[in-house]
Every structure is written in C-alpha cells, then in structure tokens.
Amino acid sequence: MPVVSVSMPAELIDRIDALADEHDYTGRSEVVREGARTLLSEFDDDRLEDRQLAGIVSVLYDFGTQSIEHRVTEIRHEHEEVIVSNDHSHVDDYCLDLFVLEGDLESISTFVGTLRTIEDVGTVDYSLIPIDSVGSLQDV
Ligand SMILES: [Zn+2]
C-alpha cells in the first residue's frame, strides 16, 4: 500500500505509540489507519441519511483562548441555518460551547467538521437523533 508522510505534534505521536503498545496494534500505522476509518465512517450512517436530525455538539477548549472563541463565533454565523441554540459556559479551566442543532446529515456534519479544523481546539463531540424516531421509545 502507498506510504504517506503526515506531520503531527510529538505528544500525539507518543499517545499513538502508547495506545499501540497497550492494545497490541502492530504499530502506529495500524492505529492511524483505524482512526482514519473510524472518522470516515462517522457520518456515513445509512440510518441518518435523508432524515431531519436533532443534534447536540459540544466544543471544549482552554479558557480565554480568544483565537478559538473568535473562530467558533465565525463558524456559528456561517452555519446559523442549522443552529437552534448556543450556550457558552466555563467548566474548570475550559470554555464549553454547546450547540443544539436541527438539520440534515450533510449540513450537521459540515458544521462539526469545520469546528474540528480549529487550531488547538480541545474536543468536539456530538450526538444525533432522527427527529421522526423521537417518541418511539415510549412504544417499547
Ligand atoms: Zn469562555
């Protein structure tokens, strides 16, 4: 298979190597391949295609990092068609932006993907549910 050269912080490489050791991967290449497959499959979910979705997205980053806060605000404005509400809180030494979303898979995945491109952002997590499935738990 082709070999690619990827630049990443030394700390991330150390964590990949530690994960490879702890979980008996053949090496960092196998970890990176699996990580790439996981990321690619993340939004490739047939259950969510062509359905209106409700979503929650959390963005966590170091307190007072103005470049990140500014970029989050820009992205919020660029994607306001999917954002129902947004809240900015402080948890320990971190800023936590919470977004409630409504939209299709493509628009929500574009929003999440754009947030993940922010340099030095801590974590970007999300949860999605098809709106037409809400209430089906009551029928069980
Ligand atoms: Zn803040």
Side-chain angles (χ1 to χ4, degrees):
M1 69 184 92
V3 175
V4 295
S5 174
V6 178
S7 55
M8 62 179 74
E11 183 200 338
L12 183 57
I13 295 170
D14 291 344
R15 292 176 62 195
I16 289 171
D17 289 343
L19 184 98
D21 279 349
E22 289 169 20
H23 298 277
D24 294 328
Y25 285 94
T26 56
R28 66 172 65 138
S29 289
E30 189 180 1
V31 174
V32 172
R33 278 194 298 273
E34 185 166 319
R37 285 189 198 101
T38 300
L39 187 61
L40 289 168
S41 66
E42 192 170 39
F43 288 107
D44 185 23
D45 187 335
D46 290 344
R47 287 181 315 112
L48 302 178
E49 291 284 346
D50 302 321
R51 294 171 85 174
Q52 190 72 354
L53 305 172
I56 299 170
V57 175
S58 62
V59 185
L60 197 67
Y61 50 94
D62 286 338
F63 178 84
T65 313
Q66 290 191 340
S67 61
I68 298 178
E69 282 193 47
H70 182 70
R71 186 67 188 121
V72 169
T73 299
E74 283 180 345
I75 293 169
R76 190 181 74 211
H77 291 156
E78 291 164 5
H79 296 267
E80 62 185 0
E81 75 282 354
V82 296
I83 298 169
V84 175
S85 68
N86 170 225
D87 183 56
H88 182 91
S89 305
H90 295 132
V91 179
D92 196 31
D93 291 332
Y94 298 95
C95 289
L96 174 62
D97 278 299
L98 274 180
F99 293 90
V100 175
L101 308 176
E102 179 180 355
D104 60 20
L105 184 61
E106 184 179 346
S107 54
I108 290 177
S109 63
T110 299
F111 177 68
V112 172
T114 305
L115 288 169
R116 286 181 171 166
T117 65
I118 299 174
E119 190 172 347
D120 295 328
V121 72
T123 62
V124 179
D125 289 318
Y126 68 93
S127 173
L128 302 175
I129 185 168
I131 292 172
D132 59 18
S133 73
V134 174
S136 60
L137 289 177
Q138 296 167 354
D139 300 332
V140 174

